[in-house]
Amino acid sequence: MQIFKVGGAVRDRLLGLPVTDIDWVVVGATADEMLAKGYRPVGADFPVFLHPKTGEEYALARTERKSGRGYGGFTFHASPEVTLEEDLIRRDLTINAIAEDDLQNLTDPYHGQRDLEARILRHVSPAFAEDPLRVLRVARFAARYASLGFTVAPETLELMRQLSESGELQALTAERSWKEISRALMEDQPQVFIQVLRDCGALKVLMPEVDALFGVPQPEAHHPEIDTGLHTLSVLEQSALHEQPLTVRWACLLHDLGKGLTPEEEWPRHIAHEHTGLKLIKAVNERFKAPKDCQELALLVGKYHTHCHRALELKASTLLELLQNFDVYRRPQRFEEFIGACEMDARGRKGLEQRSYPQADYLRGAARAAREVAVQPLLEKGFKGPELGEALKRERLKALKAYKDEASA
Ligand code: CTP
C-alpha cells in the first residue's frame, strides 16, 4: 500500500500557512488490511479509518457515484485498484487535489499548483456536482483566501449556479450547512462568503431573507452606502476586523432582515423593521439549527439595535427596560455581545467606519450603574418576593437617572 498526504494539509503547506489537520489517502489497500494494522474504522460502510496513535484520518482511495439526491445519495467504490488519480479527480477543487508522499514529492494531475499560484479556486471535474455542500465550501475558501487574492474561476461559479438552481442545495442537512456557515463567518473576510453565495444564486436558495436586502435602499443621510445588502456585507466585514465572536457575526448578518419586507412605497424609510424582521430571523435561525446563543443574540440584536444607536437619548425607564430584557444582571456577556454587534452595525456604513461610537461605553456604564444597586439594604428593610423585585427596580431606575444626569452634565 502507498500512503499520501492530501487536501488542506498539502494546500496550506504550499501556501506557507500553518497546517492543523492532516488527511491521508491510502492506495492499494483493503479495509481488512487497514484493520489488521490497527486502524480504527470511522463508520460501518465508509472507507475511512483513524490512525491508532495519531488519530488522523486515513481514507482508502475511492471513487464516488451519486445515486440520489442529497448527501445520503452516495455509493462509494473503494478498492485496491482505485488509483491515486481516480481518487483525486472526485475531489472539489484543484488546490485540494494535490497528493504528497513522505519525501514531499507531489502528484498533481489536475494542476492544483498552477491554480495556487494563479490564486484560483477551480473545480477538478464535473464530479464536483456530486456534493452540493461544495457550493458552500468554495464560498468559504473564497472568504478564507480572499486576502491572498483568490477568486472563484468563472466556470466553477457557473457550475455552482447550476447546482443552486437544480434544487440540490435544499437537500443539504441543517447540520452540514451550519458547519460551513459558522466556519465561513469566522474567516477573515466573511462578507466574501455571502457575496460568492449571492454571485452564484445560492444565497437566494439558502437565505432568501438576506438575498432580498440587495437593491433595498436606506436613507442616504444615515447610510451613505444606501443599499441594505451592501450595508450588511460591510457590517460583517467590520465584525471580522474587530474579531467578534460567532454569535456577534451571526447577529450582524441577520440584524436588518426586516428591511427586506418594507413596501417599496415606504422606501428608503423602514419603519418598525426591527419588529417585522423578527419572524425572518427566527426562520433563518431554525433553518440552520443555529446554536442557542447565536439564535438568541440574533433575535435580540434584531429587536433592539435601534435602541442601542439611540442609547444617549433613551429615558432612564427605557434604559432600565432594555437592561431587564437582556437580563443584564445574570447575562453580562450577552449584553456585551449585543453592544458589539450594534457597534459593527454603526461602523458598517460607507465612510463612517472610523467614527466613534460613544453609545457602547454609555450602555456599559448604564449596565454597571444598574448592576451596582445592592440588594442587601432592601432585604434589611424587610422587602421580600415580588415587593423586593419592585423595590430593586425602583432603586435601579434611580441609579439610571443619576447616571444619565451625570453623563449629560
Ligand atoms: N473534500 C471534497 N469534497 C468535500 C469535502 C472534502 O472533495 N465535500 C476533499 C478535498 O480534497 C479536501 C479534503 O477532502 O481538501 C479534506 O476535506 P476537509 O478536511 O473537509 O477540508 P480541507 O480541504 O482539509 O480544508 P479545511 O482547511 O477547511 O479543513
Side-chain angles (χ1 to χ4, degrees):
M1 71 173 75
Q2 285 178 295
I3 298 182
F4 300 88
K5 211 181 262 182
V6 278
V10 181
R11 175 196 71 219
D12 287 341
R13 185 185 71 74
L14 292 171
L15 283 171
L17 299 174
V19 169
T20 41
D21 264 2
I22 304 184
D23 292 306
W24 305 86
V25 62
V26 184
V27 181
T30 61
D32 287 343
E33 284 171 88
M34 297 299 282
L35 295 175
K37 283 183 183 288
Y39 287 84
R40 286 174 283 126
V42 164
D45 19 80
F46 207 64
V48 179
F49 300 83
L50 300 179
H51 191 278
K53 291 219 177 75
T54 64
E56 286 167 359
E57 275 191 15
Y58 286 69
L60 295 185
R62 63 181 190 256
T63 56
E64 278 165 358
R65 288 279 166 273
K66 200 160 171 58
S67 56
R69 179 163 278 207
Y71 196 56
F74 274 126
T75 46
F76 295 103
H77 169 68
S79 90
E81 284 80 47
V82 175
T83 64
L84 183 58
E85 285 74 11
E86 282 170 334
D87 178 276
L88 294 175
I89 202 169
R90 54 108 195 145
R91 291 175 183 265
D92 53 2
L93 296 173
T94 60
I95 64 166
N96 289 340
I98 311 172
E100 183 181 291
D101 69 13
D102 51 7
L103 298 171
Q104 289 201 341
N105 295 314
L106 299 176
T107 304
D108 182 17
Y110 310 109
H111 311 295
Q113 291 171 93
R114 196 172 67 194
D115 285 339
L116 275 178
E117 267 163 43
R119 306 304 204 214
I120 290 178
L121 303 171
R122 192 195 312 275
H123 66 283
V124 179
S125 76
F128 180 92
E130 291 181 355
D131 182 6
L133 189 76
R134 289 170 170 172
V135 172
L136 283 85
R137 277 176 62 90
V138 174
R140 173 166 67 78
F141 286 123
R144 184 191 290 175
Y145 299 127
S147 57
L148 297 178
F150 275 85
T151 55
V152 182
E155 65 271 28
T156 301
L157 201 64
E158 183 48 38
L159 192 53
M160 289 160 72
R161 174 178 303 286
Q162 287 168 20
L163 267 172
S164 304
E165 283 168 4
S166 71
E168 280 282 334
L169 293 180
Q170 278 99 325
L172 291 171
T173 62
E175 288 76 11
R176 289 190 86 209
S177 300
W178 177 256
K179 207 164 158 211
E180 287 303 322
I181 293 167
S182 55
R183 289 186 74 188
L185 290 179
M186 290 314 290
E187 297 293 353
D188 281 351
Q189 304 212 36
Q191 76 282 8
V192 174
F193 174 70
I194 300 296
Q195 182 68 59
V196 169
L197 291 181
R198 177 167 153 74
D199 292 344
C200 69
L203 192 62
K204 202 162 41 191
V205 180
L206 296 168
M207 299 185 202
E209 302 86 349
V210 177
D211 196 63
L213 301 178
F214 291 84
V216 173
Q218 308 165 100
E220 194 173 355
H222 286 108
H223 283 284
E225 73 286 349
I226 301 177
D227 188 285
T228 312
L230 296 184
H231 164 62
T232 300
L233 295 182
S234 300
V235 178
L236 255 190
E237 183 179 5
Q238 289 296 321
S239 74
L241 277 171
H242 290 265
E243 297 180 357
Q244 298 287 353
L246 178 63
T247 45
V248 172
R249 297 182 190 206
W250 181 241
C252 284
L253 177 64
L254 306 185
H255 77 285
D256 262 348
L257 292 189
K259 290 184 178 171
L261 293 176
T262 312
E264 270 189 52
E265 55 276 17
E266 289 178 24
W267 287 358
R269 298 185 66 206
H270 298 281
I271 305 149
H273 74 276
E274 303 85 349
H275 179 72
T276 54
L278 293 178
K279 59 177 183 296
L280 302 187
I281 297 175
K282 188 162 178 279
V284 182
N285 269 339
E286 287 172 1
R287 185 172 316 136
F288 298 108
K289 297 191 184 150
K292 195 161 168 265
D293 55 350
C294 288
Q295 296 210 17
E296 237 177 47
L297 191 72
L299 286 165
L300 287 166
V301 171
K303 189 167 178 187
Y304 292 114
H305 60 276
T306 314
H307 275 67
C308 188
H309 300 329
R310 294 180 37 242
L312 280 78
E313 300 143 44
L314 297 181
K315 290 187 293 188
S317 57
T318 315
L319 267 178
L320 179 63
E321 215 181 290
L322 181 72
L323 298 174
Q324 305 274 106
N325 284 335
F326 270 87
D327 193 9
V328 78
Y329 318 102
R330 280 184 299 182
R331 307 279 304 269
Q333 184 56 31
R334 185 174 64 176
F335 192 60
E336 187 51 45
E337 290 176 2
F338 163 68
I339 295 174
C342 296
E343 180 168 348
M344 299 308 106
D345 180 23
R347 291 186 185 283
R349 297 180 298 161
K350 200 169 166 211
L352 304 176
E353 295 84 355
Q354 306 301 332
R355 194 187 261 193
S356 66
Y357 190 70
Q359 291 91 328
D361 274 343
Y362 181 80
L363 278 185
R364 286 185 188 111
R368 213 176 305 122
R371 226 182 290 129
E372 275 168 5
V373 169
V375 191
Q376 196 56 32
L378 299 174
L379 288 171
E380 282 165 14
K381 279 186 191 157
F383 286 110
K384 301 199 266 282
E387 282 184 359
L388 177 66
E390 282 309 310
L392 202 50
K393 236 169 134 175
R394 276 197 304 277
E395 291 304 313
R396 283 172 176 157
L397 187 60
K398 249 194 253 170
L400 285 173
K401 280 186 175 148
Y403 173 74
K404 242 184 104 61
D405 289 346
E406 204 178 307
S408 56

